[in-house]
Amino acid sequence: MTDKQAAMNEADVLVEEVDTGARHPAHWQRHLIPVTAFVWALFQLYYASNLPFYLTDVTGINVIVTSSNARLIHLAFAMFLAAMAFPLFRHSSRRRIPYYDWLLGLLGVVACLYIMVFRNEIANRAGLPTTADLVMSTIGMIVLGISVYRALGLPLVIVASAFICYVFFGHSEFLPDVVQWKGASFGKAMWHYWMQNEGVFGVALGVSASLIFLFVLFGSILEKAGAGNYFIKIAFALLGHLSGGPAKAAVVASALSGLYSGSSIANTVTTGTFTIPLMKRTGFPPEKAGAVEVASSTNGQLTPPVMGAAAFLISEFTGVSYTEIIKHALVPALVSYIALFYIVHLEAQKLDLKGLQKPPSSLTFAGKLMGLLAGFIGMAALGAVVYYGLGWIKIAIPGAAFPVVVVGCAAAYLILLWFASRYPDLEIDPPDAPITELPRAGATAVTGLYYILPIVILIWCIMIERLSPSLSAFWATIAMITVALTQHPIKALMRGNTDIGGAARRGVSEWINGMISGSRNMIGIAVATGAAGVIVGTISLTGAHQVVGEFVEFLSGGNLLLMLILVAIMSLILGMGLPTTANYIVVSSLMAPVIVALGAKSGLIVPLIAVHLFVFYFGILADDTPPVGLAAFAAAAISRADPIKTGIQGFAYDIRTALLPFLFIFNTELLLIDVSPLKGVFVFFSAVIAMLLFAAATQGYFLVRNRIWETVALLVVAFTLFRPGFWLDQVDPPYIDWPGTDIYQVAEAQPADSLLRVSVAGPSFSDADEIIKTTILVPLGETGSGEARLEKSGILVMVDGGQAALEEPFPGTPFESLGREFDFYGGDPVTVSMVQVAKQRLPKEVFYVPALLVLALVVFMQRARVSRTRQ
């Protein structure tokens, strides 16, 4: 076995240990894990489809699986497979399943199904657990903890255990007064965690059962059917001849894999197995080769539509629709990838690297240019057909739109298969095999264009048909299963191949392997969302997020930027060693409320989606951040480099990604919030230019190596393009300030549907001697008297004696949370201290002019140095 093969095996083992399970039993046990995984996938498809409702109507027997029962069955499968597939100890057998794993797996199933079997009896004694309830809850919690340890290691177990300890011992005297709470009994805690939908079986596990599984399954079947190899080959065919071509291909291939992948580690190994050795061969040092792959793969978790399967959780936690989540996350993801592509280009320039050999071509420059334009026009035409063509069908024949689109996609599938059958199928090349010549881009592209059709169906179902994400994923998965089962026999038939049966068996094998792989990939995600539910349940039981907020406020001293930096660091720490979904649940549950509360105190009111994306970005960056950085360890196993150095270099490349969350907190236009389509295009291009300049500054190389003043100038220009409003705020404040006593007059003068910024001050709910402040945005609705408009928005103000006293908002109104922040019944009243109205100002984009002039100066100076070096 060569060193490279050993490296690949080491990386594959890491993926198995972290993602899918490293046990492969022999003898009669060898079928247990695959069969169970396949049955789990079938159950999830059944649950997502309309089949239960159809069977219930036809047979008269209720076979509908409720959401609550689906969560129980989902976790039961996950804990059983965790016990079977993941060895408990390092010395545990990989070739057989020990008796204690059978015991733990079956106990996990019993603990889950106990709730389903005795659901009615449990509902009748709500809040009064029996001994059997407590025994089953305890068993379930213990087996869940062991399952998390098996599949994910200690980090999440430690975090969840700390929260459980806080529930039981939060009243202890050794804790500071600021973090103490009254504590909970064992019965109350177990009931909260296991017997109701507030803890383990809460929102997170529900999203895992209803949404995440289907998207992971979709991606797995797509991968097993050959799409992963296709994306890698097309990336190399298009970019391999450029300077540093393999690294640029790695960026693109990882971005394409990120469209459906739910794991940055699996993404790293899937594409890195091929890209990292080629990067090293063309001159990249091992650490940088691994770091490029790590940065590409971690960014894949931030890329819509799947976002590492966290997009659906973000939608559930923020109340923002899934389609809006895709829109908000699109520009930052694209900008980040374009910048990484540019960073790779700069690295190649600094190392003076060459690309791989292109195949000979008879095309002239004009022909190549026409081919390039045809590619762009083709992609634009595909987008137009999907959005406008299929959208027109929905309008023209709304009742028959679905079958018409299905027939159209089937016809397109057969046409694309016919073109693909004219060329040989793409083979998976050994990673250490020499590449003497790159494949032809056109011929490579044609072989797999039909893989795009299931993605088109997914987008059509979500964006045009407006189906739920769950049902959309179901139909996309059915389309992908159809492709997997039929692509080889149909191509064999079109080629005149007589072995149709062999081709059909190959398709069935790929489908079955995709189903099994999807389920095995879901083991860690499912138990992680269950464990993350413990954290969410603790917060709902104890209000722990307020404690974290007070701690961050104390450390930051009220400084807004320092607060955001502390939240970013804590999100990085909390995210270490966690899969994407659990990562998001942990950081969003703890850190997102901190930004919302402390930002409001500083006068910064940020859309909730921006806050959640902020903590999500930093949680994901933990995948390449030492000392844990699992993606960095996977890449280092392939590149034979030091994992810590690989992680540090990967994070250095990801500084551009770490910058974006700070920018879209202060400039929400980057998330396409409240911008027109034309303005969105302008925002995208200005953000791309800004990020490229930031990358050039941090890499110390633009057209040539930067001088210090040029690096500083590039940073200033990049900042100005990203946030021109900062400079405008310095010369012209954004708001006109009015005293709180004028709130009625100011509210009455505002136009319809405007927002009024109101600063509120008063005694803290937790400490009546402490005066706190916050800022709220009050929607004024239609015109009318100021008092009526405020009252309709849920704000009651009594102006008397030179102050505007705020009454406690009623429960159910938009501002009821103020009742948990302020003491409305203490000695001092809660008052409106200030009212702010946005003023008319110059467009902030005027500051682009001096920024671009500075950029022109830097370009002029560097071009002069380039000319001198060429002489």
Side-chain angles (χ1 to χ4, degrees):
M1 182 182 292
T2 66
D3 288 343
K4 288 182 179 178
Q5 288 171 331
M8 307 310 165
N9 290 342
E10 186 180 336
D12 289 337
V13 167
L14 178 60
V15 173
E16 287 185 343
E17 289 178 346
V18 174
D19 276 352
T20 62
R23 179 178 283 146
H24 298 279
H27 307 300
W28 68 271
Q29 294 181 345
R30 70 181 183 275
H31 299 300
L32 176 69
I33 297 174
V35 169
T36 306
F38 186 80
V39 172
W40 189 13
L42 285 179
F43 165 75
Q44 294 289 163
L45 287 172
Y46 172 81
Y47 170 59
S49 70
N50 289 323
L51 185 59
F53 300 95
Y54 174 77
L55 292 177
T56 299
D57 290 339
V58 171
T59 64
I61 302 172
N62 186 4
V63 292
I64 297 172
V65 181
T66 64
S67 174
S68 298
N69 287 343
R71 299 178 191 188
L72 295 166
I73 298 171
H74 183 76
L75 187 60
F77 268 114
M79 291 200 296
F80 181 77
L81 282 172
M84 300 298 105
F86 290 87
L88 182 56
F89 307 107
R90 286 190 176 276
H91 63 268
S92 297
S93 173
R94 266 63 172 168
R95 304 295 293 167
R96 66 179 183 84
I97 302 171
Y99 73 91
Y100 52 81
D101 284 343
W102 280 103
L103 179 62
L104 288 170
L106 293 174
L107 283 174
V109 173
V110 170
C112 290
L113 299 187
Y114 171 81
I115 302 175
M116 191 166 70
V117 173
F118 297 101
R119 180 174 297 281
N120 292 333
E121 291 88 338
I122 293 170
N124 292 332
R125 58 174 186 268
L128 299 172
T130 64
T131 302
D133 294 342
L134 296 181
V135 169
M136 286 298 169
S137 299
T138 305
I139 290 173
M141 293 288 287
I142 292 173
V143 175
L144 176 62
I146 295 173
S147 300
V148 172
Y149 170 71
R150 289 173 183 273
L152 306 170
L154 277 176
L156 184 56
V157 177
I158 293 172
V159 173
S161 299
F163 278 83
I164 292 174
C165 289
Y166 180 66
V167 168
F168 292 129
F169 306 110
H171 61 288
S172 302
E173 294 181 356
F174 64 83
L175 291 176
D177 291 342
V178 70
V179 300
Q180 286 187 13
W181 85 295
K182 63 181 181 180
S185 66
F186 182 79
K188 180 179 180 180
M190 288 299 103
W191 182 270
H192 187 79
Y193 283 138
W194 193 261
M195 301 302 294
Q196 56 182 351
N197 292 342
E198 293 289 333
V200 172
F201 300 103
V203 171
L205 191 66
V207 174
S208 177
S210 62
L211 285 172
I212 296 175
F213 192 105
L214 289 172
F215 278 87
V216 171
L217 183 63
F218 173 77
S220 180
I221 299 174
L222 191 69
E223 175 73 29
K224 295 297 181 183
N229 183 47
Y230 172 73
F231 289 150
I232 293 171
K233 289 289 183 70
I234 193 66
F236 271 96
L238 291 171
L239 305 169
H241 65 284
L242 301 175
S243 174
K248 292 173 180 175
V251 173
V252 173
S254 293
L256 293 172
S257 297
L259 292 176
Y260 59 84
S261 174
S263 166
S264 57
I265 302 160
N267 197 342
T268 297
V269 173
T270 300
T271 56
T273 298
F274 302 94
T275 59
I276 291 174
L278 284 171
M279 280 189 266
K280 290 173 63 178
R281 194 182 309 157
T282 54
F284 271 85
E287 285 80 10
K288 289 190 176 182
V292 168
E293 183 57 52
V294 168
S296 304
S297 298
T298 52
N299 274 227
Q301 303 303 286
L302 306 171
T303 306
V306 177
M307 298 172 67
F312 320 107
L313 288 166
I314 297 174
S315 176
E316 196 73 29
F317 283 18
T318 61
V320 179
S321 70
Y322 174 65
T323 53
E324 288 293 303
I325 298 289
I326 294 174
K327 183 185 80 170
H328 296 322
L330 183 60
V331 167
L334 289 176
V335 168
S336 185
Y337 262 118
I338 291 170
L340 180 59
F341 191 91
Y342 182 61
I343 287 173
V344 168
H345 174 74
L346 294 178
E347 288 283 17
Q349 292 296 307
K350 289 189 285 186
L351 296 169
D352 194 25
L353 302 182
K354 307 300 180 185
L356 299 173
Q357 180 65 40
K358 286 183 64 176
S361 174
S362 59
L363 290 177
T364 62
F365 174 77
K368 294 177 181 178
L369 182 61
M370 289 299 294
L372 181 65
L373 290 175
F376 279 111
I377 293 171
M379 292 299 292
L382 177 63
V385 167
V386 173
Y387 190 79
Y388 294 106
L390 299 184
W392 176 83
I393 294 174
K394 175 71 174 175
I395 296 172
I397 44 175
F402 193 85
V404 168
V405 170
V406 169
V407 172
C409 286
Y413 176 54
L414 292 175
I415 293 170
L416 293 175
L417 273 180
W418 185 85
F419 281 111
S421 68
R422 304 299 96 188
Y423 298 88
D425 291 339
L426 296 178
E427 299 290 338
I428 299 178
D429 299 324
D432 54 352
I435 295 182
T436 56
E437 190 176 282
L438 289 171
R440 295 182 182 275
T444 304
V446 169
T447 61
L449 284 176
Y450 56 87
Y451 289 127
I452 299 174
L453 287 175
I455 300 174
V456 169
I457 290 173
L458 175 66
I459 295 172
W460 173 72
C461 287
I462 292 174
M463 305 293 291
I464 299 172
E465 196 68 19
R466 297 292 180 179
L467 300 180
S468 69
S470 175
L471 197 55
S472 301
F474 169 78
W475 286 117
T477 304
I478 293 299
M480 195 60 243
I481 291 173
T482 304
V483 170
L485 290 173
T486 62
Q487 59 170 333
H488 299 304
I490 293 177
K491 282 194 289 187
L493 188 64
M494 290 175 172
R495 289 167 177 162
N497 192 331
T498 57
D499 189 16
I500 306 296
R505 286 191 295 273
R506 180 183 172 188
V508 172
S509 175
E510 289 178 349
W511 168 58
I512 292 174
N513 288 335
M515 296 277 280
I516 294 170
S517 177
S519 294
R520 294 191 70 150
N521 287 333
M522 273 301 302
I523 298 171
I525 296 175
V527 298
T529 50
V534 172
I535 296 168
V536 176
T538 300
I539 292 171
S540 67
L541 188 63
T542 66
H545 63 281
Q546 296 177 355
V547 174
V548 176
E550 291 173 359
F551 177 66
V552 172
E553 184 178 18
F554 170 76
L555 291 179
S556 65
N559 183 283
L560 183 61
L561 186 59
L562 182 57
M563 179 269 290
L564 290 173
I565 293 173
L566 287 172
V567 169
I569 293 172
M570 294 179 74
S571 297
L572 271 174
I573 295 171
L574 288 169
M576 287 183 178
L578 301 185
T580 301
T581 46
N583 189 327
Y584 166 71
I585 296 167
V586 172
V587 297
S588 64
S589 299
L590 281 175
M591 307 313 303
V594 173
I595 299 179
V596 172
L598 299 187
K601 288 183 179 181
S602 303
L604 177 69
I605 301 177
V606 187
L608 197 56
I609 179 62
V611 173
H612 279 251
L613 286 177
F614 181 95
V615 296
F616 179 54
Y617 264 59
F618 282 102
I620 291 301
L621 288 178
D623 280 345
D624 65 5
T625 306
V628 178
L630 294 179
F633 276 84
I638 299 173
S639 65
R640 286 306 197 197
D642 182 276
I644 300 299
K645 291 181 180 178
T646 301
I648 292 172
Q649 184 65 59
F651 188 77
Y653 289 153
D654 268 339
I655 289 176
R656 77 204 188 286
T657 307
L659 174 71
L660 280 169
F662 287 95
L663 294 170
F664 59 60
I665 281 287
F666 292 102
N667 181 11
T668 56
E669 288 182 351
L670 287 171
L671 301 179
L672 302 181
I673 295 177
D674 297 329
V675 298
S676 64
L678 185 62
K679 180 65 179 293
V681 173
F682 178 78
V683 167
F684 170 72
F685 281 107
S686 60
V688 167
I689 295 170
M691 188 56 82
L692 296 184
L693 296 177
F694 178 79
T698 55
Q699 292 299 306
Y701 196 100
F702 188 28
L703 303 179
V704 293
R705 293 193 181 276
N706 298 338
R707 291 171 177 163
I708 294 178
W709 74 267
E710 291 172 337
T711 295
V712 174
L714 289 174
L715 288 174
V716 172
V717 173
F719 176 76
T720 303
L721 294 179
F722 269 128
R723 193 169 175 246
F726 173 82
W727 304 112
L728 182 60
D729 291 346
Q730 305 308 306
V731 298
D732 188 9
Y735 302 106
I736 300 173
D737 298 339
W738 298 83
T741 51
D742 291 345
I743 186 170
Y744 287 158
Q745 298 92 309
V746 174
E748 185 172 343
Q750 301 312 303
D753 299 322
S754 57
L755 294 172
L756 190 67
R757 285 175 61 93
V758 177
S759 297
V760 180
S764 169
F765 182 82
S766 57
D767 184 0
D769 295 328
E770 179 188 5
I771 301 299
I772 61 173
K773 298 180 180 179
T774 192
T775 304
I776 57 175
L777 280 180
V778 181
L780 293 179
E782 59 187 32
T783 57
S785 71
E787 185 174 2
R789 298 178 78 181
L790 290 170
E791 186 174 347
K792 194 172 182 179
S793 298
I795 295 293
L796 298 175
V797 182
M798 300 293 293
V799 179
D800 185 34
Q803 68 178 8
L806 181 66
E807 298 289 331
E808 182 179 11
F810 292 113
T813 60
F815 304 103
E816 66 171 322
S817 60
L818 292 177
R820 297 187 291 271
E821 295 182 46
F822 294 94
D823 182 2
F824 283 87
Y825 304 101
D828 297 321
V830 179
T831 62
V832 175
S833 57
M834 184 172 58
V835 182
Q836 295 179 311
V837 178
K839 66 164 67 170
Q840 293 292 325
R841 302 189 295 172
L842 287 171
K844 60 186 177 182
E845 288 77 15
V846 297
F847 288 92
Y848 285 174
V849 176
L852 294 176
L853 290 175
V854 173
L855 176 60
L857 175 63
V858 173
V859 171
F860 175 79
M861 299 297 291
Q862 292 208 353
R863 286 182 64 86
R865 294 209 299 279
V866 171
S867 300
R868 287 197 296 270
T869 57
R870 290 177 178 173
Q871 292 176 355

